[in-house]
Amino acid sequence: MEYTVQKLARLAGCSTRTLRYYDEIGILKPARINSSGYRLYGRSEVDQLQQILFYRELGVSLDTIKQIVSSPSFDRTKALKEHRQQLLAKQEQIKRLIANVDKTLAEAEGRIMMSDNEKFEGFKQKLIEENEEKYGEEIRAKYGDEQVDKSNQKFKNMTKEQYAEAEQLGEEVLKILNEAFRTGDPAGELAQKAADLHRKWLTFYWGEYSKEAHAGLAQMYVDDERFTAYYDKKQPGSAEFLRDAILIYTGMKN
């Protein structure tokens, strides 16, 4: 069976403008164009559109989707399994938020009492899952499952006041780091203050602190481009500067 742009748009629940745009950028070309100039889509294009919409639902950019679906190694079955796992995780997050709303309503109606910690359980879990998705593999390989699980649990048990303090401390680290960077001296007073604040910030998330782990994390800031991009956002070279300051602070500088 073949579909025109209008029929496929109705089938998929998207706009005809979206399908025409997908054609323009080469992410979803029609199977053929008939003698009247109408775009016609077949079974293969329907399947590809489904994949595209799955990825869009998960927040993947069109540029990235195009690279994925146009790759010769693209495996539709594998992609569907990955979609399913991600959607199940999303479903669990929604369930937690719904449960949190129900408890909050019950408290508002005077039926139960909620601690401040309980009010933010769902949001904290989402942050943990996002962090696991971005950095989990590298961090677990470096520090081990037990250490990472302890860190996640400590974050989940954090009170509203502790979370606010950790956020403020994180911002202060960046502020002092920016000032220290301008001195060009990782051993200087400002740079060492940034390293010390970074240690204090870590204690909100780590079960226990060690100089070796602190130095290892600082090296990861340079080795992993995602961490580097975070610290270099305002001033390129800041991640490497912070690494050097922390290595001096921990006594791990060769």
Side-chain angles (χ1 to χ4, degrees), residues 6-7 14 123 169 179 200 238 240 246:
Q6 288 189 339
K7 287 182 178 179
C14 62
F123 302 105
L169 195 53
E179 293 175 7
K200 290 177 181 175
S238 293
E240 190 172 345
I246 291 172

Side-chain angles (χ1 to χ4, degrees), residues 102-121:
D102 288 342
K103 287 173 73 174
T104 305
L105 283 171
E107 184 193 41
E109 293 167 356
R111 291 184 281 117
I112 65 168
M113 291 290 291
M114 281 181 79
S115 68
D116 285 344
N117 195 41
E118 287 178 302
K119 291 176 182 177
F120 296 96
E121 280 179 355

Side-chain angles (χ1 to χ4, degrees), residues 207-225:
E208 55 187 41
Y209 172 83
S210 76
K211 291 181 178 181
E212 292 78 11
H214 193 184
L217 181 63
Q219 185 60 50
M220 189 185 292
Y221 288 167
V222 175
D223 294 340
D224 192 309
E225 61 184 16

Side-chain angles (χ1 to χ4, degrees), residues 2 56 64 90 115 120 131 139 163 199 207 234 240:
E2 290 185 320
R56 291 298 286 158
T64 302
K90 196 172 183 180
S115 68
F120 296 96
N131 191 61
I139 294 173
Y163 181 76
R199 175 192 62 79
K234 289 187 177 180
E240 190 172 345

Side-chain angles (χ1 to χ4, degrees), residues 128-197:
I128 289 172
E129 289 171 0
E130 287 176 348
N131 191 61
E132 283 281 354
E133 186 178 344
K134 288 181 181 178
Y135 312 114
E137 186 176 345
E138 294 87 345
I139 294 173
R140 287 182 179 276
K142 191 171 185 66
Y143 298 107
D145 290 338
E146 184 180 356
Q147 185 65 36
V148 175
D149 290 341
K150 282 182 179 179
S151 177
N152 288 341
Q153 190 59 47
K154 186 169 184 178
F155 176 68
K156 286 172 73 172
N157 292 336
M158 202 181 285
T159 65
K160 181 177 66 175
E161 290 76 18
Q162 287 172 328
Y163 181 76
E165 188 177 348
E167 286 285 286
Q168 184 178 352
L169 195 53
E171 291 176 6
E172 193 174 353
V173 170
L174 295 177
K175 177 177 176 292
I176 299 299
L177 174 62
N178 190 48
E179 293 175 7
F181 184 84
R182 291 197 290 268
T183 71
D185 182 9
E189 184 180 349
L190 274 176
Q192 290 305 292
K193 181 179 179 181
D196 185 56
L197 288 171

Side-chain angles (χ1 to χ4, degrees), residues 65-81:
I65 295 172
K66 184 178 179 180
Q67 292 173 16
I68 294 170
V69 300
S70 63
S71 170
S73 61
F74 177 69
D75 185 330
R76 181 169 178 263
T77 301
K78 181 182 177 183
L80 284 170
K81 288 179 180 178

